[in-house]
Amino acid sequence: MRAPAPGRARDGPNRLAGTVQEIQWRGATHRLYVDVDGHRVMADLRELKDPPVHGDPVSLHFAPEDAVLLPAGVSHG
């Protein structure tokens, strides 16, 4: 999954456009929580050199086989 730099959104398949609600630095990775049309999407990414900040628009791109959908109400650890 990739999160292009703010302002560099791309079109294409398997793209979710949204707004950063929360970002966590986890050492070698960043975890983004992105609002996508009212749905909270969590994305774990390799450490970003220039991470987005709260409120930035982002586009998340992913390979279909890398997506994991969880039913509503499932806790994430």
Side-chain angles (χ1 to χ4, degrees):
M1 189 170 270
R2 298 184 311 269
R8 301 187 69 202
R10 292 176 270 176
D11 290 325
N14 305 319
R15 180 181 76 87
L16 300 173
T19 305
V20 174
Q21 296 299 305
E22 182 180 341
I23 186 163
Q24 299 172 355
W25 177 65
R26 296 176 160 236
T29 63
H30 277 96
R31 176 169 286 172
L32 297 180
Y33 290 95
V34 179
D35 177 61
V36 176
D37 292 329
H39 300 280
R40 188 173 183 173
V41 175
M42 180 182 68
D44 287 333
L45 309 163
R46 286 187 220 137
E47 186 175 13
L48 302 169
K49 291 181 183 179
D50 187 20
V53 297
H54 183 271
D56 277 349
V58 293
S59 290
L60 302 174
H61 301 261
F62 58 94
E65 60 272 12
D66 292 336
V68 177
L69 299 177
L70 302 174
V74 172
S75 176
H76 64 279

